[in-house]
Amino acid sequence: MATMQDVARLARVSVSTVSYALTGARPISQATRAKVLAAMAELDYQPNAMARGLASRRSRILGLLLPMDERGLGATETAFVTGAAAAASAAGYHLMLSPIGVGDLDELRRLASQRMLDGALLMEVQLHDPRVDVLRELGVPLVLIGRTADTDGLSYVDIDFDQTVRAAVGHLVDLGHRRIVYVNHSADTLAEGYGPALRTRDAFTAAMTGHGLEPLMIPAEDSAAGGRAALATALRRAPDLTAILAMNESAVFGLLGELATRGRSVPDDVSVVSMVTSPQVAELATPALTAMSSPGSAVGRIAIETLLRHVDAGDGQINQQLMPCALEVRGSSGPPRTEGKPTEAARRRAATRRRA
């Protein structure tokens, strides 16, 4: 394996000149740089990334601070991460996943104090997130996927939850639904201040009130069992419900399963719309879920591009971007059943049976 000394010998320059060509720590002439690069290509020299980082005072490592539990990552979260990883790699950086949440501040201080990270990307952001304060205190550039309550001086990329909920409620109201229940994340998640759960709760209340309808939100554990329990609660509190909104990918399949167990057809008896959902998840359900589709990998890509502007260019310009979810109508939403009159979905099924 070729060494820096081999490159210097072939290019007829000093080892320090090779180092300057790699790190840009000192200016060298274009002709000298060309000689060094030609020698590197001839010898197939692969510079040591860590050594180069130390010389330039850069690690070329970005931290992705993403707290995780035994559930792992859902498909929508995975799309955010893959978008971020691809953007970091394209720019010559490594993205290091660190499961640091708001309860791991000592670990975050140790990591940031070692100067291993050139910048940090935060996910699962709470409205009052102490990770932001720690990183600011230690001078680590950061960008949020999500938003705190006070976003002054912070760059972020987030879902436009007001638009998303308003469009989802509007879709169901336009179909004729008046008794709509929202299945959110768990009560603990709400109490901890998780931004998406609280913002969608408030947006749902505003949207329903704007249509003159009564809002009812049911918290659900992030599991199929949690979805089943949430449906039982919803039917107990609103036995006349005709539509469910959900922003809980782990629970929505439990909701669908419990509806089937209780003999309630989707969408004939109950329409279901899933919010901030990947198309892959929506297509797994039977019937396929009408969804407010997440912008997916674009969120992670834009967040990394913003972070790199702060890191590479020392760009202090704040970028705050809200991204919409797009309504994709599939098979899980339709008009509510009219007493004595079959729904459009029921008519289609009857026509299919007749043709068969």
Side-chain angles (χ1 to χ4, degrees):
M1 183 179 293
T3 66
M4 191 179 291
Q5 287 79 5
D6 296 329
V7 173
R9 193 177 301 114
L10 182 60
R12 297 181 181 276
V13 297
S14 67
V15 172
S16 59
T17 299
V18 175
S19 176
Y20 299 153
L22 288 171
T23 65
R26 289 190 183 178
I28 59 174
S29 70
Q30 282 299 110
T32 301
R33 184 184 300 277
K35 283 200 303 181
V36 170
L37 294 178
M40 288 172 58
E42 184 174 335
L43 295 170
D44 193 25
Y45 172 66
Q46 301 296 322
N48 183 292
M50 184 57 74
R52 187 176 62 204
L54 290 172
S56 64
R57 297 196 177 119
R58 291 279 181 84
S59 66
R60 303 201 71 81
I61 296 173
L62 304 174
L64 175 60
L65 308 186
L66 172 57
M68 299 193 331
D69 56 24
E70 64 277 0
R71 293 183 299 108
L73 292 180
T76 299
E77 295 164 317
T78 299
F80 294 166
V81 173
T82 54
S89 178
Y93 280 81
H94 299 284
L95 188 67
M96 181 181 76
L97 174 61
S98 184
I100 291 178
V102 296
D104 306 311
L105 299 185
D106 289 341
E107 178 62 26
L108 179 56
R109 283 193 180 90
R110 280 193 293 272
L111 180 65
S113 298
Q114 292 169 359
R115 299 297 173 188
M116 289 182 59
L117 305 179
D118 288 343
L121 189 62
L122 276 64
M123 288 183 62
E124 300 296 287
V125 176
Q126 297 186 0
L127 291 185
H128 304 284
D129 200 312
R131 295 176 298 172
V132 171
D133 299 326
V134 170
L135 293 170
R136 279 176 148 177
E137 173 190 327
L138 295 172
V140 178
L142 70 145
V143 171
L144 313 180
I145 293 182
R147 281 170 287 162
T148 50
D150 179 5
T151 58
D152 186 44
L154 286 173
S155 288
Y156 64 76
V157 184
D158 199 8
I159 301 297
D160 188 339
F161 291 108
D162 287 342
Q163 172 271 339
T164 296
V165 174
R166 190 166 56 246
V169 170
H171 169 64
L172 291 170
V173 169
D174 288 346
L175 287 171
H177 293 278
R178 295 297 178 265
R179 196 65 167 124
I180 304 167
V181 172
Y182 173 40
V183 175
N184 201 338
H185 287 284
S186 69
D188 286 344
T189 301
L190 287 158
E192 289 164 1
Y194 181 49
L198 292 168
R199 286 193 167 92
T200 52
R201 178 199 65 186
D202 296 343
F204 178 70
T205 298
M208 291 289 284
T209 303
H211 288 287
L213 303 175
E214 179 185 355
L216 174 59
M217 186 204 76
I218 305 292
E221 296 296 325
D222 292 359
S223 65
R228 289 181 179 274
L231 180 68
T233 301
L235 289 173
R236 187 170 62 251
R237 295 180 60 182
D240 57 339
L241 73 86
T242 62
I244 296 173
L245 287 181
M247 191 186 68
N248 188 324
E249 282 186 353
S250 301
V252 73
F253 290 97
L255 282 169
L256 294 171
E258 188 65 14
L259 283 167
T261 297
R262 292 172 179 255
R264 299 213 177 191
S265 173
V266 176
D268 290 350
D269 298 314
V270 179
S271 286
V272 178
V273 175
S274 186
M275 297 191 297
V276 196
T277 299
S278 70
Q280 294 87 341
V281 169
E283 295 290 349
L284 286 174
T286 303
L289 286 167
T290 292
M292 299 300 301
S293 293
S294 164
S297 61
V299 172
R301 174 181 57 78
I302 294 170
I304 286 292
E305 290 170 351
T306 302
L307 180 58
L308 290 178
R309 285 198 294 273
H310 293 329
V311 170
D312 286 340
D315 181 4
Q317 183 174 349
I318 301 302
N319 178 61
Q320 299 181 340
Q321 185 166 349
L322 294 179
M323 302 190 68
C325 290
L327 174 65
E328 295 191 35
V329 179
R330 298 185 179 89
S332 69
S333 64
R337 185 189 297 277
T338 302
E339 195 65 36
K341 185 177 179 181
T343 63
E344 179 61 30
R347 286 195 293 271
R348 285 198 299 269
R349 284 199 301 271
T352 300
R353 285 195 295 269
R354 286 195 298 272
R355 286 195 296 272

